[in-house]
Amino acid sequence: MLKSTLTAVAIVLILSASASGASAQAAAAKKVLGACKPDIKAFCADVAPGEGRIKACMKRRLPELSEPCKEALFQAWLNK
């Protein structure tokens, strides 16, 4: 289940990239997934992927996320 959850998160992040910045967005999504994988596993492993549930779980746990995950999310947000 965790592997499918992580795969779903990566796919959602990559597919949400705009056409003009798709490669930059895909690279940012890959960095976020790499940095946040332990956090997703620790805090959201029991959450079914889809309909923004993983994102909502991560938002609820934001203060608890690791610094590398927070930094990757922040950098992805800046480069939107």
Side-chain angles (χ1 to χ4, degrees):
M1 168 115 167
L2 178 60
K3 186 174 182 179
S4 64
T5 299
L6 294 174
T7 302
V9 169
I11 290 169
V12 168
L13 290 171
I14 292 167
L15 291 178
S16 66
S18 66
S20 62
S23 63
Q25 288 283 355
K30 190 173 182 178
K31 284 183 182 180
V32 169
L33 183 60
C36 295
K37 192 174 185 177
D39 298 272
I40 294 169
K41 184 177 179 181
F43 302 124
C44 306
D46 60 337
V47 176
E51 299 179 16
R53 288 186 286 263
I54 301 293
K55 181 179 176 180
C57 174
M58 296 293 280
K59 282 176 110 175
R60 283 192 305 272
R61 305 303 286 263
L62 190 60
E64 301 167 78
L65 297 179
S66 67
E67 287 305 314
C69 180
K70 288 185 208 178
E71 181 63 25
L73 289 167
F74 180 69
Q75 290 301 320
W77 176 74
L78 282 178
N79 296 318
K80 251 178 148 177

